[in-house]
Amino acid sequence: MSFADLGLSAGLLKAVAAMGYTEPTPIQEQSIPVTLTGRDILGCAQTGTGKTAAFILPALQLTERGKGIGILVVTPTRELAGQIDEVARAASKFTGHRVAAVYGGVGYEPQVKKLRRGVELLVATPGRLLDLHQRGDVDLSHVSILVLDEADRMLDMGFWPDVRRILALLPSKRQNMLFSATLSKEIMRIAEPMLDDPARVEVSPSATPVEAISQS
Ligand code: AMP
């Protein structure tokens, strides 16, 4: 299967080629066409599977420019936020969407400046996003696509109360995607009320964490 078969626009196909991707990965093949129909997604995929492009590409296609932050990606760490920001910037090279990442541990000013210039896709860690919202520096009232990336890690790191606060700031009518390396009982309990009839996409990792640990 090729990226063109997945229903992506010409601008996104051009970006994909420029990124050096020739064929979609299994998670991209499964989730891009479904996401483009507007359906919620429950994704079980680890880093390294191509999951970032799997949510970024269709989200960009579904989002108009110039209408405020339409896509919000919430992720647990600054490193992940940086990686997603990189993929999002490369993916939007020919569509003109503006991308920004906000995370803690660095000054507010450069992030605030970027937000003021206008952004359609925002990648954020929970605490910094709430801080910026409290300061009045970020408007979440136009978000129509929410991605919760590495939901299991956000739960483990104790970010879930912050995530809940963020959910309460978003319009209730939106498309939701939740990605997690594991779909534990606890993740399912959280996912269920926030996802509406989600399509479940899953790729099995080549080795589960336990198998990947060698004992000596
Ligand atoms: P991710 O799982 O999103 O962290 O992606 C893991 C790595 O795979 C990143 O370095 C991506 O740039 C790369 N990647 C994602 N999709 C593709 C693809 N379709 N073809 C080749 N590399 C890809």
Side-chain angles (χ1 to χ4, degrees):
M1 197 177 258
S2 73
F3 276 102
D5 297 326
L6 304 181
L8 293 172
S9 67
L12 290 170
L13 291 175
K14 212 170 146 187
V16 161
M19 288 156 88
Y21 301 174
T22 50
E23 278 178 12
T25 65
I27 192 85
Q28 291 162 1
E29 233 176 78
Q30 285 179 50
S31 69
I32 291 173
V34 187
T35 307
L36 287 174
T37 69
R39 196 163 162 195
D40 281 3
I41 298 280
L42 175 61
C44 184
Q46 291 183 331
T47 298
T49 54
K51 71 179 160 76
T52 314
F55 58 75
I56 292 289
L57 291 166
L60 287 171
Q61 180 149 325
L62 293 171
T63 302
E64 265 187 84
R65 281 173 295 144
K67 300 263 165 86
I69 299 169
I71 308 164
L72 174 66
V73 182
V74 182
T75 191
T77 68
R78 171 180 164 170
E79 289 71 28
L80 281 166
Q83 286 167 27
I84 298 167
D85 182 44
E86 222 169 274
V87 172
R89 274 187 288 130
S92 60
K93 190 167 175 192
F94 303 104
T95 64
H97 291 89
R98 291 163 297 177
V99 175
V102 297
Y103 41 79
V106 294
Y108 285 86
E109 272 323 298
Q111 297 179 354
V112 170
K113 249 191 208 158
K114 218 162 184 190
L115 288 167
R116 287 214 185 105
R117 282 202 294 263
V119 166
E120 280 90 25
L121 189 161
L122 182 67
V123 185
T125 55
R128 176 58 59 105
L129 180 62
L130 286 170
D131 287 348
L132 286 165
H133 187 269
Q134 203 156 30
R135 290 164 46 122
D137 289 323
V138 65
D139 177 6
L140 297 175
S141 66
H142 302 285
V143 172
S144 57
I145 299 179
L146 169 73
V147 181
L148 294 182
D149 182 45
E150 308 235 346
D152 49 347
R153 278 179 75 188
M154 290 204 274
L155 199 65
D156 290 346
M157 292 166 80
F159 290 162
W160 212 257
D162 280 352
V163 172
R164 276 191 206 288
R165 271 176 223 127
I166 293 165
L167 295 183
L169 301 172
L170 305 179
S172 51
K173 199 178 162 304
R174 55 170 202 265
Q175 184 177 6
N176 297 292
M177 296 185 241
L178 184 148
F179 285 87
S180 181
T182 57
L183 294 181
S184 63
K185 260 195 199 146
E186 216 176 349
I187 289 288
M188 294 307 289
R189 195 171 45 79
I190 287 163
E192 221 150 63
M194 67 164 279
L195 301 175
D196 176 23
D197 183 29
R200 195 161 158 169
V201 295
E202 207 160 336
V203 287
S204 39
S206 49
T208 63
V210 172
E211 283 165 353
I213 293 169
S214 65
Q215 219 173 280
S216 58

